[in-house]
Structures are given as structure tokens and as C-alpha cells.
Amino acid sequence: MRKSKRRHRALLAVCLNLVALLFSTTAFITTYWCEGTQRVPKPNCGKGTKTNCINYNGDDSHNESNPNVVHYSWETGDDRFLFRYFHTGIWYSCEENINGSGEKCRSFIDLAPASEKGVLWLSVVSEVLFILLLVVGFSLMCLEFFQSNNVVDGLKLNAFSAVFTVLSGLLGMVAHMMYTQVLQVTVSLGPEDWRPHSWDYGWSFCLAWCSFTCCMAASVTTLNSYTKTVIEFGHKHKIFEQALQEEQSFTDHNALKYIKDRSVNSVSSSLEISDEEARNMRKSVLSSAAADLGDIPESLGEESQKKEREAPVSYNLGELPDAAQYGRMGKLSIPKN
């Protein structure tokens, strides 16, 4: 969705730049920056001129140029003049041919006052640079529009096209203003046979300023596309860095937890092995102790019997049995020492 919007903005900038290029080129080569009428004296009526001329004394034969003949005309005021149409551009000024069909054209640079010719040449150079920079900007915009797979290369082309378009717009504005100044001075101080009676700016002048408007609109659209792309790219990069940091912290946490769990398991396993070994050792000790204790009573019994046999026997006389008892019990046997 964002890519389609970016392509739409790029297409709009290309169209605006193309319109500006067409308008500026048309205005530069046409001669309709200024249009109006010029007041010129009517010619004398003759054999080839029957209308829009001065008929002296009502007789065509007296209209021939003869210095010895006095001519009288009953036309006064503006009736003695013709108002012919003219139009002027950067290069030429064309006027209506009142004596025939078609137009007569002459160089506007020759018509301009001497004090304004330098400014006029500067305006011409600025107009040429304006058109050339428009061509460069249009080429870069087309290249960015048709080869916009790489975002970084597209941003570079977008930035350069915006710079060239802005510079062309500024040069176009300066050129139009300088030519307007020269045209106004020429209208006031130009040759007598050219000075207009009434005049106004023509459609070439309107095309020139429309080209400037379209050029600046194209530059603004290009800068807008560049700015939005940079902001989106920076936002995506920031989100990517945050996700990478979170993933890295999560990975570090899991790794630390794994190391701790593994150390605890290793310690517990070692403790279990130690307990098992201790139990085995305890069992072996107890079995050996039981074997030794089993031998102790027999030895103790033998020693006690030996001591009883070796110990002297002493009898209490009061306790000795009498003879009758001996007779009944049998012979008393007293052990010897």
C-alpha cells in the first residue's frame, strides 16, 4: 500500500514536471508574451490602396506624392491613424502588415533600449537554464519511477530530481521577472514606430508562469515523497532496532537461564553421585562392622570360660552340704587347684 502511494506521488511529480517543460518550451519559442495595438498614420490612397488610407480632396489623382501640390484632408483625430495588431515574444516582435497580407517581424533584442539589453540577455540565459534543468529533473524522475526497486537508489534519485527542479523553478521565476521588466521599459522607451497604443500580456506569458507553478508543484511533490520515504525508512529502522534489542535481550535471558539450569543440574547430579557413593561406603562399613561384631561374642565366651576354670573356688562352710546329703547326692568332688 505504501509502495503504491509512493509510486503515485512519483507519477504525479513526473506529470507536473512534463507539463512545466512543455509550457516553458512553448512560451520560449512563441511570440505572444505581449499583445496589443499600435497607432500608425494612414497611408495615402493610391491605385493599389483603396481602403484604410487618406483620400485627399476626394480625387485619387491628387493623392500622388507631389511636393508642389497642396493636399487637404478632412479627417481629424484618431481617424487619421490605423490601429494595427502586434504581438511580441522573447526573440521577435511581429506586426500586422496594413499594406498587404501577413505580418512583419523584427528582432525584439534590437527594439529593447540599450540600457536593458544586458538584462534581456540574462533573462534569455535564465530561460535556457530553466528548460535544461527541467529536462534533467524530468529524466531523473522518470528513472526513479521506472527503476524504484532499490529504496536507497530511489531516494538518491528523488533527492537529486527535487534539487534540480527547485533550481529550475527559481531560475524560471528570475527569468520571467527580468523579461517583464525589459518589456515594460521597452513599451515606454522603445522606438516611436513600435510603441503600443494599448497592450496586455498574452498567452505565452501565462504559459511561462504556469510552467513555473507546475515546476514548483513538482518539486514540492518530489520533496514530499522524499521526506515521507525517509521518515518511513527511519521509522522501520527504529522498529527493527527495537525488535532486535528485544530479541537479543530475550536470547541473553534464555541463555543465562539455560546456563543456570545446567549448572544447577550438574551440581545436583554431582550431589546425587556423592550421596550414592556415601551410601555405598556406609553399607560397606556397616557390613564390615557386622562381621567383626559377629566374631566378638565367641571370643568373649571362650575367655570367660577360661577365666572360670583358672579362678580358685572358695566355699562357705555354712553352705556345705551334710553327709546325708552327700550320701543322697553321691560323692562330692572338689576340684584341685
Side-chain angles (χ1 to χ4, degrees):
M1 185 67 179
R2 292 179 179 177
K3 187 176 181 180
S4 63
K5 288 183 179 180
R6 186 164 60 249
R7 289 184 64 85
H8 290 164
R9 290 195 297 267
L11 180 60
L12 178 61
V14 169
C15 294
L16 289 172
N17 200 323
L18 179 61
V19 171
L21 181 60
L22 293 176
F23 283 1
S24 61
T25 305
T26 305
F28 185 69
I29 62 177
T30 54
T31 59
Y32 290 88
W33 287 68
C34 174
E35 295 178 290
T37 56
Q38 296 170 338
R39 190 176 68 171
V40 294
K42 288 182 179 180
N44 296 331
C45 293
K47 294 180 180 179
T49 306
K50 300 295 183 180
T51 59
N52 294 328
C53 58
I54 298 176
N55 188 3
Y56 293 100
N57 299 324
D59 190 0
D60 294 341
S61 62
H62 294 87
N63 291 332
E64 302 295 333
S65 59
N66 190 351
N68 298 323
V69 177
V70 178
H71 300 283
Y72 298 96
S73 174
W74 302 102
E75 295 180 353
T76 58
D78 290 340
D79 295 335
R80 297 182 297 111
F81 297 94
L82 291 176
F83 295 92
R84 65 182 179 184
Y85 172 77
F86 82 100
H87 53 90
T88 303
I90 294 177
W91 299 104
Y92 295 102
S93 176
C94 297
E95 305 154 3
E96 182 184 2
N97 188 3
I98 59 176
N99 294 325
S101 61
E103 293 179 339
K104 295 186 302 180
C105 295
R106 45 184 169 173
S107 176
F108 181 76
I109 298 175
D110 296 335
L111 295 174
S115 60
E116 299 296 325
K117 286 186 178 181
V119 181
L120 179 59
W121 279 112
L122 283 177
S123 67
V124 170
V125 173
S126 299
E127 287 285 348
V128 173
L129 291 177
F130 171 50
I131 295 174
L132 290 178
L133 290 177
L134 276 177
V135 171
V136 174
F138 177 74
S139 302
L140 291 175
M141 288 180 185
C142 291
L143 187 63
E144 189 267 335
F145 179 75
F146 291 106
Q147 296 182 359
S148 59
N149 295 326
N150 193 347
V151 179
V152 178
D153 294 340
L155 283 176
K156 291 180 181 179
L157 292 173
N158 207 342
F160 280 112
S161 61
V163 170
F164 281 110
T165 309
V166 170
L167 289 177
S168 65
L170 294 177
L171 284 174
M173 179 184 66
V174 172
H176 301 342
M177 292 177 67
M178 287 191 296
Y179 181 78
T180 303
Q181 177 185 353
V182 173
L183 182 62
Q184 290 176 353
V185 174
T186 305
V187 167
S188 302
L189 303 177
E192 289 288 342
D193 61 342
W194 182 86
R195 291 180 189 177
H197 176 71
S198 62
W199 65 280
D200 198 359
Y201 296 107
W203 57 267
S204 296
F205 183 83
C206 297
L207 280 182
W209 283 105
C210 287
S211 68
F212 165 74
T213 305
C214 293
C215 176
M216 296 308 295
S219 63
V220 169
T221 305
T222 308
L223 288 175
N224 186 19
S225 178
Y226 174 79
T227 306
K228 286 187 176 182
T229 305
V230 169
I231 292 174
E232 291 175 0
F233 186 76
H235 182 65
K236 290 181 180 179
H237 184 68
K238 186 177 180 180
I239 292 176
F240 177 75
E241 286 183 350
Q242 291 179 355
L244 186 62
Q245 290 178 358
E246 291 177 358
E247 184 178 359
Q248 186 176 2
S249 61
F250 180 74
T251 305
D252 294 340
H253 178 71
N254 289 337
L256 183 61
K257 184 178 179 181
Y258 175 74
I259 292 172
K260 288 182 178 181
D261 293 341
R262 187 167 183 180
S263 61
V264 170
N265 292 331
S266 61
V267 170
S268 62
S269 62
S270 62
L271 290 175
E272 289 177 358
I273 292 171
S274 299
D275 292 340
E276 186 176 357
E277 291 178 356
R279 285 195 295 270
N280 293 331
M281 291 174 64
R282 193 179 300 113
K283 288 180 181 179
S284 61
V285 170
L286 291 176
S287 62
S288 61
D292 294 337
L293 290 175
D295 297 337
I296 290 173
E298 295 179 357
S299 60
L300 287 176
E302 291 178 356
E303 289 180 358
S304 61
Q305 290 178 2
K306 186 177 180 181
K307 286 182 180 181
E308 286 179 356
R309 285 195 299 269
E310 291 180 356
V313 181
S314 62
Y315 295 99
N316 191 1
L317 295 176
E319 295 178 355
L320 290 176
D322 53 359
Q325 290 178 349
Y326 280 108
R328 292 192 298 266
M329 293 175 60
K331 190 183 288 185
L332 177 66
S333 60
I334 298 172
K336 294 181 182 180
N337 295 327

